[in-house]
Every structure is written in C-alpha cells, then in structure tokens.
C-alpha cells in the first residue's frame, strides 16, 4: 500500500496556487494604496486651490481688485493645467508599473508551474 506525503502535497499546493495568489494580492493592494494616495493628494490640492480662489475673490473690494483677480486667473489656470497633467502622468506611471510587475509575476509563476509539472511527470 502506498502512503501519501500530505506535507509535500500541501507544500506543492502552496507553491503552485497560494503563493502566486498572495503575490498578486500584495501587488494589487500596493497598487490600490498608491492610487488612492495619489487621488487624495490631487483632490486636496484641487480643493485647497479652489478655497484659496474663493477667499481671494471675497477680498475684492473695487474694480482694480477685480481686474487684478481676473488677471491672476490666467496664472491659476496654467498652474491647474500643469497639476492635472502631472497627476495624469503619475497615474499612468503607476498603471505601467503595476502592469510590468504583474507580467513579471505571471512569467515567474508559469515557469514555476512548468518546472513542477516536469518534475511530477518524471516521478510518475
């Protein structure tokens, strides 16, 4: 009668299924955290900018102050456009990093599965 080594089976199951799943979950959680932090930072900057603009508008008391405020809006619009572009670039970089790391994990897991299958076919 043949005895089964459950420890070896458990280890193989962990190596083939659970370890890759944990690696992908870790990658996904890290990506999600970075993406949420980027969104929070961007939102805070946009809100702070909006509040600053409202405060500045409220301080307008005459035509000269209004003219000055309106001229300053061009600078604000330019800065905001640059901020949006920078935020978009940051998101694209995060996505590309996630994709590259995901592909690398997939390739490593396929190689590991092929090696395990080869080993199992030799012992069978």
């Amino acid at each position: 009668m043949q005895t089964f080594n459950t420890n070896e089976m458990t280890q193989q199951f962990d190596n083939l299924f659970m370890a890759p799943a944990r690696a992908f979950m870790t990658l996904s959680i890290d990506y999600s955290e970075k993406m949420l932090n980027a969104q929070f930072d961007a939102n805070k900057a946009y809100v702070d900018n909006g509040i600053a603009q409202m405060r500045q508008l409220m301080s307008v008391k005459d035509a000269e102050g209004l003219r000055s405020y309106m001229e300053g809006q061009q600078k604000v619009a330019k800065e905001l456009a640059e901020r949006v572009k920078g935020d978009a670039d940051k998101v694209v970089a995060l996505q590309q990093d996630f994709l590259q790391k995901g592909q690398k994990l997939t390739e490593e897991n396929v190689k590991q599965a092929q090696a395990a299958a080869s080993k199992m076919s030799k012992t069978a």
Side-chain angles (χ1 to χ4, degrees), residues 52 54 60 86 93 106 119:
M54 287 186 280
V60 171
T106 301
K119 181 181 175 184

Side-chain angles (χ1 to χ4, degrees), residues 10-21:
T10 302
Q11 185 63 40
Q12 287 177 348
F13 179 79
D14 185 64
N15 288 343
L16 289 175
F17 299 107
M18 297 307 294

Side-chain angles (χ1 to χ4, degrees), residues 17 28 32 42 46 50 59 83 88 91 94 99 101 106 118 120-121:
F17 299 107
S28 295
S32 297
Y46 300 143
S59 69
R83 173 70 196 224
V91 168
L94 286 172
L99 179 64
K101 288 179 179 177
T106 301
S118 175
M120 288 172 59
S121 68

